Amino acid sequence: MRAQQIWRWIHRHGVTDFAAMTNIAKEQRSALTAGFVLQRPQIARRQESADGVIKWLSGFAPGVEAETVFIPDVGGGGGALCVSSQVGCTLNCSFCHTGTQALVRNLTAAEIVAQAQVARDDLGEWMAAGGERRLTNVVFMGMGEPLYNLDAVTSAIDVLADNEGMAISRRRITVSTAGVVPMLRSLGERTGAMLAVSLHATNDELRDQLVPLNRRYPLAELMAAVRAYPGLANSKRVTFEYVMLRGVNDSPAEARALVRLLAGIPAKINLIPFNPWPGSPYECSEPGTIEAFAAIVNRAGYASPIRTPRGRDILAACGQLRSESFKVRASARPRVDSAV
Ligand code: SAH
């Protein structure tokens, strides 16, 4: 009973001080204060874009910073929080800004949940009734590859979805992966989350260049694993993300190849206009090219929304996230144990 009370204070009411837990005995509150912290990460930077997107840079520890983005009004009245699962990334996708930052470390479950807590603080909606909430969806589409940090991602989803806490339905939580094939089944079985796959190419030769992970898990294996994703159905479709790169992957022939690749999979295709970043080697496809591509996919019976770029002016759009954190080699760390 006590655990449930404390849980509610933290995850439903968002308190950051044990002293505020008024239905807990005073002595117990002091004991909790002495033994535990309820601290939020330090907000190193907060930016709001012209179109209402908010981006936070959270500092979890010295040199460990990650970005989180809130995108209001994504349809259906709610808004999506895009959380990071790692600081930096190991995948090096050639079109992604995060890929230019080496992996610093995995985030812990608490650090992933803290990103939602920061957003709720900022949006002032700890007390809001369900229907009035703006933060209704969570997408693991920030920095990092969630399937390389699946234990923490699973625990974080358990907390975010808990009915006694934030109660964000698992159907409103989407985990995006570049295609870590051996972890896909486990993701579905352990989290029940919606799956998004960053596809971006329809043949191995091109995908090897864009998403180097493809060299380890080529398209045939990836598509077989997606077909076997637990719970896949017309009511629970997989999302394929496809970034539109001018002259690289945006031809009508590729749209037709995409349709063949997806045959029989309950899917929707999210076409993402390429978001440029400082020094990026690609350009975004022309609007007409994207529309023609979408039309071909759409005629084949797949929803193919074109993702409107949001928050580009503050580098908060897909693939633009990055932090200045870098891994300090043990030998370069300041010595704190020097002899007195
Ligand atoms: N590593 C996971 C989670 C990141 S999700 C994954 O790859 O799915 C971020 C999404 O934005 C991915 O689909 C990624 O491929 C896409 N993306 C990366 N850089 C982009 C850019 N510059 N413009 C548009 N989309 C981009």
Side-chain angles (χ1 to χ4, degrees):
M1 186 191 86
R2 196 68 73 229
Q4 193 184 51
Q5 288 172 324
I6 297 170
W7 182 270
R8 282 191 183 156
W9 281 115
I10 297 173
H11 294 294
R12 180 181 285 185
H13 301 295
V15 306
T16 52
D17 186 353
F18 290 105
M21 301 184 176
T22 47
N23 58 356
I24 311 280
K26 266 228 169 80
E27 313 78 71
Q28 282 182 338
R29 284 188 246 162
S30 321
L32 288 167
T33 307
F36 302 94
V37 286
L38 286 177
Q39 212 172 293
R40 297 286 193 254
Q42 198 193 334
I43 308 302
R45 194 174 58 221
R46 179 197 188 276
Q47 290 166 280
E48 194 162 343
S49 78
D51 57 9
V53 167
I54 307 173
K55 182 170 85 166
W56 301 269
L57 175 67
S58 293
F60 299 102
V64 181
E65 296 183 322
E67 296 196 305
T68 309
V69 178
F70 177 67
I71 309 118
D73 312 314
V74 286
L81 189 72
C82 178
V83 298
S84 293
S85 55
Q86 299 182 312
V87 175
C89 193
T90 55
L91 296 178
N92 293 316
C93 299
S94 57
F95 51 87
C96 179
H97 199 199
T98 310
T100 65
Q101 180 185 1
L103 180 72
V104 176
R105 71 160 167 80
N106 281 342
L107 291 176
T108 64
E111 289 164 344
I112 295 170
V113 170
Q115 296 173 60
Q117 295 173 324
V118 162
R120 271 209 157 177
D121 290 346
D122 195 320
L123 298 170
E125 59 181 31
W126 282 104
M127 298 305 182
E132 294 157 22
R133 272 189 212 130
R134 296 169 66 205
L135 195 176
T136 55
N137 294 47
V138 172
V139 295
F140 284 78
M141 297 186 183
M143 296 163 58
E145 169 50 51
L147 297 200
Y148 280 155
N149 188 16
L150 187 57
D151 287 344
V153 166
T154 301
S155 303
I157 291 175
D158 286 344
V159 173
L160 295 171
D162 193 283
N163 274 328
E164 298 292 328
M166 285 191 235
I168 298 168
S169 151
R170 288 173 193 270
R171 292 197 157 233
R172 291 176 174 272
I173 299 178
T174 301
V175 176
S176 179
T177 178
V180 186
V181 165
M183 305 303 282
L184 276 179
R185 169 178 289 278
S186 192
L187 171 72
E189 287 174 351
R190 293 172 68 186
T191 69
M194 305 295 285
L195 174 66
V197 174
S198 297
L199 193 64
H200 308 319
T202 57
N203 62 75
D204 283 322
E205 198 190 343
L206 179 59
R207 197 162 190 271
D208 281 352
Q209 289 172 33
L210 299 179
V211 183
L213 183 67
N214 193 70
R215 295 175 204 158
R216 195 166 330 153
Y217 308 117
L219 277 169
E221 287 176 31
L222 174 59
M223 299 313 287
V226 170
R227 285 172 203 275
Y229 189 70
L232 207 59
N234 263 328
S235 59
K236 197 177 172 193
R237 287 178 292 172
V238 52
T239 300
F240 287 96
E241 294 150 287
Y242 195 97
V243 63
M244 299 300 293
L245 303 170
R246 181 174 175 174
V248 175
N249 65 354
D250 59 356
S251 70
E254 277 157 314
R256 289 190 291 272
L258 179 59
V259 169
R260 287 195 295 275
L261 197 62
L262 302 184
I265 302 179
K268 89 169 186 219
I269 293 82
N270 226 320
L271 299 176
I272 316 177
F274 170 68
N275 294 304
W277 35 271
S280 56
Y282 298 101
E283 286 172 292
C284 183
S285 309
E286 298 293 336
T289 309
I290 302 180
E291 274 156 35
F293 195 101
I296 293 171
V297 178
N298 203 256
R299 267 201 304 275
Y302 295 99
S304 53
I306 300 168
R307 194 180 283 176
T308 319
R310 307 273 303 264
R312 266 186 181 172
D313 53 334
I314 56 165
L315 284 184
C318 303
Q320 293 185 314
L321 305 187
R322 191 179 193 279
S323 71
E324 293 307 321
S325 305
F326 59 91
K327 191 167 189 165
V328 182
R329 274 189 292 128
S331 58
R333 259 182 231 135
R335 300 287 296 259
V336 287
D337 56 348
S338 53
V340 189

